[in-house]
Each structure stands twice: as C-alpha cells, then as structure tokens.
Amino acid sequence: MNIAVTINDTYFYPLYIMLNTLFSKHEKTQIYVYLIHSRVSERNKKRLERLCKRHGGKFTEVFVSEEEFSDAPSFSYFTKEMYYRILVAKLLPETVERVLYLDPDLIVTDNLEEFYHMPMEGCFFGGIRDRLQDNVGNPYWEELGFTRKNNYINSGVLLCNLTLLRKEQKVQDVFDMLKERGESLKFPDQDIINVLYEGKIAVAEERYNLNPNILRWWEYLGYNFAPFFIKRPAIIHYMGAEKPWRSSYAGGLYHYYWNAERKYACHKKVDMFFRFFKIPFLMIKAGIRFFL
C-alpha cells in the first residue's frame, strides 16, 4: 500500500500519531510512505524513517522546491504543501501506479485495504463527499463553477490513480486556475480538484473520511456509546481550525484521538494527561449540540 503525506515541521506530531494508527491496522500489509515536502527537518525525517522501519514499512523522501508554488495562496491552517497532492503523479516515481494521500490531522481506526483497491476506471481520484460543504443550495458552487451533478469531495483523504493522471492530467490547468481564481478560493486545493476533475472522481463510503463535528444523532450515540451497533469509521478526520492535539480543542469524538495519543505519543505526555479530563465534558457538549 502506497501512502503519500505532505507536511512541514509544524505538523510532525499529528503525522507521527496518524502513521502509528495506520500501521496498527495493517500489520500484515507492506506500507510504503512517501513524504512530499519542502521544509521538514533532518531530525523529523529520521524519526519518520525509524517509525516506518519499526513497523516493517519503507520511507521515501520526495523534496519539492518552495518555488514550485511560490505564488499560490496560503492562509490560516492551509499551507502550500496542500497543493502537492494535486500534482502527486508528477512527483512520485513512475513505478508507483496508485497512492493514497492522507492528511496528518486524522487517525486510522480500521483497515483501508478495501478502499485502497476500489475500482477507479476512468477516474483520476477516489474520495469521500464533504458532508459539511456538499449541500444543496450552497451559493459558493455557482461562484466556483461546480455543476452539482457530482459530489463535492474532501481532499484530506484522496486515492490517486497515478497511471491515468500521468496520461491525461494537464498541469497547466492547475496553474491557470490558481492564477485566475487564487485568492477567491475558500478551500484552494480542494476546490481545484473538485472543479477541474468533476466527473472523474470515484466516491467511496463516508466511513473512510468521517468528520467528527458533522454527525447525525444516531452516529453520535453509536460512535460514543455503542460502537458495536454501528459500522465503525475507518478514518476519523479532525477537519477545521481546531485540532485535538491542542488543549483548546472542543470538537467531537475527542476520546478516539486521546486514546491514539495515549498509545503512540512521542511527547506532550503531561499535556495529554490533563486533557483526559476533558473527555466527559466534550461528550456532553457535543450531545447538547446534536440534540437541541
């Protein structure tokens, strides 16, 4: 299984947690991790390499010059590294035919083999609808040029058909859209993927990219109190500006992340201990939000 990640040093900690959860659910699977980056320290690269080796995986560094997207917009928690997933077919070796891109702000809670091997005939990407953004009547779609004939997918979990991308993807289209629409894009890389490749994206089950802050009431009850009554999520993706490894986090399904940290954290042990006491309060707060 080929996995692509794109970070800078700021996101090393959550990436370390995420990769540990990935390996824990694929003990019998050979995993190749490709770190696509412009600014990750040697120390952190070595730590990632040791992590992969410890689990029988292979680590490969893919360096990208910061000049590649020097004019592309980046703001808030969006960084220039987000654009690397769009051109992943150009950045990875020709021998790699398929790769699963994963954001660092998620944890893997079930095996991903079925999703990884899903049929992708004629599709550049495989993804999961963005439940928050993919809603009828969203005025942004008309402005964006998204036809609504297809689901708007979240780019944080993205299965990439590199063979087809190398044959048919026009890189200039990406740069042209950035030049024409750059600062007006709310979710830059995600908007580009959905608009340029609409109709060429295979959609998978939502359990492969679950947003813990947009749950239906029965999902909230199931995931929190009776997980054996509901199909478990395979990936919990902590989308948005608030992140569960920070003490300020007040979002949903926090206890899943806390448990992953408990097992795999490489630092923040004291902070993590005190955050344990937030779990019941966050569950109550989330419950009030869902049922009122």
Side-chain angles (χ1 to χ4, degrees):
M1 182 184 293
N2 300 310
I3 302 295
V5 295
T6 61
I7 63 159
N8 54 43
D9 280 325
T10 304
Y11 271 78
F12 169 77
Y13 179 79
L15 176 63
Y16 188 87
I17 299 296
M18 183 275 279
L19 287 177
N20 270 287
T21 64
L22 173 71
F23 280 114
S24 72
K25 299 300 179 182
H26 300 84
E27 294 181 353
K28 297 181 180 180
T29 302
Q30 182 76 56
I31 293 180
Y32 298 83
V33 176
Y34 294 88
L35 171 65
I36 307 173
H37 76 99
S38 299
R39 40 183 174 164
V40 174
S41 68
E42 287 298 324
R43 177 173 180 264
N44 283 337
K45 284 187 288 184
K46 290 294 184 184
R47 293 168 80 180
L48 292 175
E49 186 175 13
R50 287 196 298 270
L51 167 63
C52 293
K53 186 176 181 180
R54 184 165 68 247
H55 290 281
K58 183 177 179 181
F59 175 82
T60 301
E61 172 193 1
V62 180
F63 179 78
V64 182
S65 170
E66 290 196 47
E67 300 302 316
E68 289 285 339
F69 287 93
S70 58
D71 297 327
S74 60
F75 49 88
S76 183
Y77 54 91
F78 297 109
T79 64
K80 293 187 186 301
E81 283 80 8
M82 65 185 165
Y83 297 111
Y84 298 166
R85 76 195 75 175
I86 304 174
L87 300 181
V88 66
K90 306 296 181 183
L91 299 173
L92 294 188
E94 292 281 339
T95 53
V96 182
E97 299 179 352
R98 178 178 293 213
V99 70
L100 176 59
Y101 168 82
L102 296 175
D103 267 352
D105 58 345
L106 58 82
I107 55 172
V108 178
T109 53
D110 201 4
N111 191 282
L112 304 180
E113 290 277 4
E114 185 177 349
F115 172 51
Y116 183 82
H117 293 289
M118 70 179 287
M120 294 185 70
E121 289 82 2
C123 292
F124 287 157
F125 299 105
I128 296 84
R129 69 180 288 265
D130 191 313
R131 190 185 290 185
L132 179 61
Q133 303 302 326
D134 187 40
N135 55 75
V136 177
N138 189 335
Y140 182 54
W141 300 149
E142 184 176 349
E143 176 187 338
L144 188 61
F146 186 65
T147 70
R148 285 290 310 159
K149 294 178 181 178
N150 303 275
N151 288 124
Y152 179 92
I153 60 106
N154 179 272
S155 62
V157 175
L158 201 63
L159 187 61
C160 308
N161 184 348
L162 304 187
T163 302
L164 188 62
L165 282 166
R166 292 187 183 108
K167 290 180 180 178
E168 299 184 12
Q169 184 183 41
K170 298 177 181 178
V171 176
Q172 191 58 46
D173 289 344
V174 176
F175 290 104
D176 287 345
M177 187 169 177
L178 280 172
K179 184 177 180 180
E180 296 169 8
R181 311 281 295 281
E183 294 296 339
S184 68
L185 300 176
K186 291 183 180 180
F187 311 99
D189 68 301
Q190 188 166 285
D191 289 344
I192 290 171
I193 289 170
N194 278 281
V195 172
L196 288 184
Y197 309 120
E198 186 175 5
K200 290 207 168 197
I201 302 175
V203 181
E205 294 179 74
E206 289 188 22
R207 66 185 292 263
Y208 290 111
N209 192 0
L210 183 73
N211 183 343
N213 296 308
I214 309 293
L215 298 177
R216 302 176 180 93
W217 67 266
W218 63 87
E219 292 173 322
Y220 171 78
L221 290 176
Y223 295 144
N224 280 291
F225 304 110
F228 46 86
F229 284 132
I230 189 170
K231 196 171 185 179
R232 73 172 67 180
I235 291 176
I236 301 176
H237 186 184
Y238 296 89
M239 306 177 197
E242 290 189 348
K243 301 302 180 186
W245 57 88
R246 297 175 183 149
S247 58
S248 60
Y249 183 72
L253 302 188
Y254 171 71
H255 57 293
Y256 283 87
Y257 198 89
W258 186 90
N259 192 50
E261 279 192 292
R262 178 183 63 82
K263 294 179 180 178
Y264 308 118
C266 52
H267 59 277
K268 293 192 175 186
K269 297 285 188 180
V270 175
D271 179 57
M272 186 178 65
F273 171 77
F274 285 107
R275 282 190 278 120
F276 169 77
F277 298 100
K278 293 173 57 176
I279 293 176
F281 297 101
L282 291 181
M283 292 174 71
I284 293 171
K285 180 179 178 181
I288 292 173
R289 185 174 73 243
F290 282 118
F291 293 106
L292 288 184

